[in-house]
Amino acid sequence: MSETVSELARRRGFFFQASEAYGGAAGFYTYGPEGAALKRNIEDAWRDRFVTREGNMEIDSPTVTPEPVFQASGHLDDFDDMLVECPDCGESHRADHVIEDNTDVEDAESMPTDEVEALIADHELVCPACGGPLAGQSVTGFNLMFDTTIGPGDGDPGYLRPETAQGMFTEFPRLKEYARNQLPFGVAQVGTGYRNEISPRNALLRTREFTMAELEFFVDPADDGPALDRVADVELPLYPVDAQQAAGEEYLRLTPQEALAEGVVGGEWVAYFLARSKQWFERVGVDMDRFRFRQHLPGELAHYASDCWDAEGEVDGDWVELEGVASRTDYDLSKHDEHADDSFTVFQAYDEPKTVERASVDPEMSYLGPEFGGAAGDVADALAALAARDRAAFDGDEVTVDVDGESYTVPTERTGFEVAEETESGRHIIPHVVEPAFGIGRAVYTALAHSYEADEVDGEPRDVLRLPAEVAPTTVGVFPLMDKDGLGERAREIAAELRAAGLAVTYDDSGNIGRRYRRQDEVGTPYCVTVDYEALEEGAVTLRDRDTTTQVRVPIAEVAETLVGLRDGELRFEAL
Ligand code: GAP
């Protein structure tokens, strides 16, 4: 973000460094009054799109999570960034960022650590803080989770969640009941995530505590996907792996159906959520001329993902990841099914019961016991598993199984092998997950950067945030022309009426009208109402539009309804 917008954000109370009075800590920000309102409006627009309109559920799970959850999910082992430490000043840096910021290499994040070490040495890269040489320093994995202790004394180990997603996976055994075991269904969460970033930077873009909005969408991969005609008119700007590897900057511009038909996007639900995401980003103020979907390179994929597309916005010449739409397959639910006591499967009933052949064994333990001693029970289990997996293995006179690296051969007639017909009414499956995961702080930051403009009004320079009316912190500024002759009282009454109609209103009677307009333009207020002498005589006020600075007269009795219509996109100012 340009310095101008950062300065505006701080001065006008969008966001600022937290705990500054105590020196602050890098990577933590407070949203001021304007920023908190903008953030809340963006979150509400997200809920409207991804919860209400999609018919999904929303939950609110704890941010402190016991260690076994992250053992199962793989975060304890794999949620690492690459760290390199300066031998001179001791400062830690993200090794891939040091490379990407100082060379033409753009995908250092997806490389193994030995290649990263070699690149640092080959390019003779130095410490960004003190200029000391980094060549020869080892690059290590640094786990990004903040750890804590649950309870007094030694307590139990826990972690602040690095993603809201795990809360939705661990509660899956209950959530599937609320969804009446019917796939597909989606569970959403808007909440705080924590990552102990090695080098937080660019204000809200890389922080150590941030709000995420995530949807975990549970599907049966054998089922049909969504009706894509609902998003048929959305054109996706796609930057797939092969275009990136060819170092091209040309994006494919395809509808979801075309992207699927041409094999660019691998799954229907992914294509659907890319389209819904694009519509949502446009709705909250991201400029569609500075927006794309970039597919993850193979080495860049998170440990749980088989494919992922990042929604990216261009800010000050850099592409910023705003959202990831990932295919998490059955990775998460399988891991929790394996480690937890509950079942993470869903029973999918068939339309009609099916007759199936099932192979089973009933080994003669009076034979296995004397033959294999203590291993007899494990041999019997291995025979049962083999019968379910590969019934042809029982075609010969003998059958061989492996137990703990040892081979055991059993005459087939002693295994009690048989194939019987059974009626099956359905099957238990572990659902697959498609996950659109958004960073709200990054959406706030990009909407601010993309909506900022410096222009001129009546020969005077002005800073304006052209935020969509739906997300602007304040919808209307109400001004009396002067605070005398009853104008102030009438304006305050009108402000109260507008607040009662659910509008975000600011009242301002200080300075000349031009300056009051500028103050509202600067924080993105889309409309201003001025109460002048005619208002008292005719019962009508002046309504001014931020973007065109056009003014129209509106009867006081209609002003609340008009503003609600403008905010909700049901009216257009030009049509008033
Ligand atoms: N559950 C999937 C997941 O956590 P992610 O790509 O690691 O995916 C989701 O994070 C989103 O969170 C990102 O697309 C980004 O917008 C945001 N995000 C990630 N790390 C962040 C950080 N340190 N500061 C601010 N936002 C961040």
Side-chain angles (χ1 to χ4, degrees), residues 135-158:
Q137 287 301 106
S138 53
V139 170
T140 52
F142 173 74
N143 194 292
L144 297 187
M145 289 197 293
F146 282 98
D147 55 5
T148 185
T149 303
I150 303 171
D154 287 344
D156 288 321

Side-chain angles (χ1 to χ4, degrees), residues 1 9 30 32 34 92 134 168 180 186 245 270 276 292 314 325 367 371 427 456 462 515 560:
M1 195 188 286
T30 294
E34 301 290 348
S92 297
L134 294 177
M168 294 176 272
R180 295 185 303 282
Q245 285 168 341
V270 172
R276 288 299 188 204
R292 69 182 185 188
E314 184 269 317
V325 182
Y367 171 80
E371 275 298 305
R427 72 202 156 104
E456 265 191 15
R462 76 161 175 170
R515 186 165 304 160

Side-chain angles (χ1 to χ4, degrees), residues 198-217:
I198 296 169
S199 7
R201 57 185 186 172
N202 293 342
L204 301 183
L205 288 190
R206 191 167 295 282
T207 53
R208 288 178 165 143
E209 176 175 335
F210 52 96
T211 302
M212 315 178 79
E214 300 195 282
L215 171 65
E216 307 306 322
F217 199 72

